Amino acid sequence: DVKVTQSSRYLVKRTGEKVFLECVQDMDHENMFWYRQDPGLGLRLIYFSYDVKMKEKGDIPEGYSVSREKKERFSLILESASTNQTSMYLCASSLSSDSHTGNTIYFGEGSWLTVV
Amino acid sequence: AQTVTQSQPEMSVQEAETVTLSCTYDTSENNYYLFWYKQPPSRQMILVIRQEAYKQQNATENRFSVNFQKAAKSFSLKISDSQLGDTAMYFCAFMKLYTGNQFYFGTGTSLTVIP
């Protein structure tokens, strides 16, 4: 089974702190994603990466950055956390779109971030 | 841009009954995938069912089936013989091919199965 692991389930940070959310997948997937989930808004894509050191902005990249130094790891960085970034963050991965059998996205358990 | 619309924020169903969750989407693409994902209260998002747009036959997975109407851009999920474990948030999702696997999600439908 595919396993996507998010290092922290629950975090509480102060406004202005730099926050790192880590995600690791164990299935050699090319694509990795960071989503934010808020009630009534569904999942919104923050950033995605289709290869090591490659990154693309999603729908709501402002206030976030990402890092992908190794294929299995994709980090989300909040440079200066703000209260409006309090949310559930979901990491996900998938095979490349060249693989018809791999067109499924797999999610981690999520990280609840509270910024106070 | 692709959009996915789930017009039912909340639904409930009696145990053992059948329920249908609605989803519509907007795209100019011809080749794509559609998905239903389930997120139980434990928050792990898992795949329920997947449909390739080029396949006319509706996908089925045990008690879960879809009604895929490509011309109408509709993709509803039917859950038969509902069980308490089906209580969850359900998300409809769309994926274009050959664009780095970008997925687009609806806002979700919260389903409660009543004993």
Side-chain angles (χ1 to χ4, degrees):
Chain A
D1 285 348
V2 175
K3 193 164 179 65
V4 180
T5 303
Q6 295 182 229
S7 57
S8 303
R9 289 298 309 275
Y10 302 95
L11 305 92
V12 180
K13 298 292 182 181
R14 294 192 180 279
T15 301
E17 276 193 79
K18 191 169 186 175
V19 181
F20 292 87
L21 299 179
E22 305 286 345
C23 176
V24 176
Q25 50 94 1
D26 66 355
M27 285 301 292
D28 204 35
H29 284 173
E30 293 85 359
N31 304 313
M32 295 190 74
F33 310 81
W34 275 106
Y35 288 90
R36 172 176 171 162
Q37 182 178 0
D38 299 288
L41 297 178
L43 277 69
R44 294 181 290 168
L45 181 64
I46 304 171
Y47 269 96
F48 68 99
S49 168
Y50 53 87
D51 202 352
V52 176
K53 296 192 185 294
M54 304 301 288
K55 60 185 179 183
E56 295 284 344
K57 293 180 180 179
D59 299 319
I60 52 165
E62 296 78 17
Y64 304 93
S65 62
V66 290
S67 171
R68 193 164 182 202
E69 296 297 318
K70 294 184 178 181
K71 191 175 185 180
E72 68 271 18
R73 187 179 297 270
F74 192 37
S75 303
L76 179 69
I77 304 154
L78 287 67
E79 296 289 343
S80 177
S82 63
T83 55
N84 63 13
Q85 292 179 310
T86 290
S87 187
M88 157 77 99
Y89 291 88
L90 287 169
C91 177
S93 72
S94 72
L95 283 169
S96 74
S97 58
D98 293 336
S99 169
H100 282 261
T101 59
N103 285 313
T104 300
I105 191 169
Y106 298 89
F107 288 88
E109 291 187 325
S111 297
W112 278 103
L113 172 66
T114 301
V115 182
V116 298
Chain B
Q2 275 55 230
T3 57
V4 179
T5 303
Q6 293 178 250
S7 58
Q8 305 152 313
E10 295 182 358
M11 294 189 73
S12 61
V13 62
Q14 290 291 139
E15 194 174 6
E17 297 293 310
T18 296
V19 64
T20 299
L21 280 57
S22 301
C23 174
T24 59
Y25 58 96
D26 186 24
T27 185
S28 58
E29 302 290 326
N30 196 44
N31 293 320
Y32 50 88
Y33 284 76
L34 294 163
F35 306 81
W36 279 97
Y37 279 87
K38 170 185 177 181
Q39 188 180 44
S42 66
R43 311 302 287 196
Q44 182 87 53
M45 189 93 74
I46 57 175
L47 176 68
V48 175
I49 200 165
R50 179 176 82 181
Q51 173 83 42
E52 292 96 334
Y54 61 87
K55 287 188 178 178
Q56 301 222 351
Q57 187 173 4
N58 288 326
T60 301
E61 287 287 342
N62 300 313
R63 298 182 295 108
F64 299 88
S65 62
V66 298
N67 183 4
F68 173 47
Q69 302 288 330
K70 191 172 184 179
K73 295 179 182 175
S74 171
F75 182 62
S76 60
L77 174 70
K78 185 171 83 171
I79 306 173
S80 304
D81 186 25
S82 297
Q83 300 175 0
L84 296 179
D86 295 333
T87 292
M89 182 73 83
Y90 288 82
F91 290 96
C92 178
F94 169 98
M95 191 202 80
K96 291 194 299 184
L97 288 177
Y98 311 119
T99 56
N101 272 159
Q102 285 198 53
F103 284 75
Y104 300 86
F105 289 85
T107 52
T109 296
S110 178
L111 176 68
T112 301
V113 179
I114 302 166

